[in-house]
Amino acid sequence: MDPIRVEVFLSVPACSGGVAVRRLIEEVQTQYGAQMDVVYHQGRDERYEELRLSSAPAIIVGDLVRFIGVCPTKEGLIGALREAGLE
């Protein structure tokens, strides 16, 4: 199975929500490692505009915008990953 692509959009300068999201992603990534392919975006880059995101932090799991403007709970993030195929 291919790893689940997770795109994380963080603001510049970093806000408290972005710091919390980065910590959460790193924690979950240590647990699920090779099952996740995490890509970080800093600021409003081309991909941010392409997805028409309205605020950061934002987390895209697979092809779906799952969280925007908030840091999810660990359970919420793992739930989104499981819906995308995490085992």
Side-chain angles (χ1 to χ4, degrees), residues 23-34:
R23 286 183 185 152
L24 176 62
I25 293 289
E26 289 172 355
E27 179 182 346
V28 171
Q29 194 171 20
T30 59
Q31 187 174 351
Y32 293 101

Side-chain angles (χ1 to χ4, degrees), residues 4-82:
I4 297 166
R5 183 171 178 88
V6 178
E7 290 184 85
V8 181
F9 293 84
L10 304 170
S11 63
V12 175
C15 65
S16 59
V19 171
V21 164
R22 183 180 288 274
R23 286 183 185 152
L24 176 62
I25 293 289
E26 289 172 355
E27 179 182 346
V28 171
Q29 194 171 20
T30 59
Q31 187 174 351
Y32 293 101
Q35 295 184 61
M36 296 171 62
D37 175 26
V38 179
V39 177
Y40 289 96
H41 299 269
Q42 298 285 345
R44 294 180 174 219
D45 63 5
E46 189 175 305
R47 181 76 172 138
Y48 184 97
E49 299 299 331
E50 177 186 321
L51 292 168
R52 297 180 183 197
L53 298 174
S54 58
S55 64
I59 302 173
I60 310 326
V61 178
D63 293 330
L64 299 175
V65 177
R66 295 306 306 245
F67 305 98
I68 189 162
V70 297
C71 178
T73 63
K74 183 177 180 180
E75 293 79 17
L77 178 58
I78 291 171
L81 290 165
R82 286 197 175 128

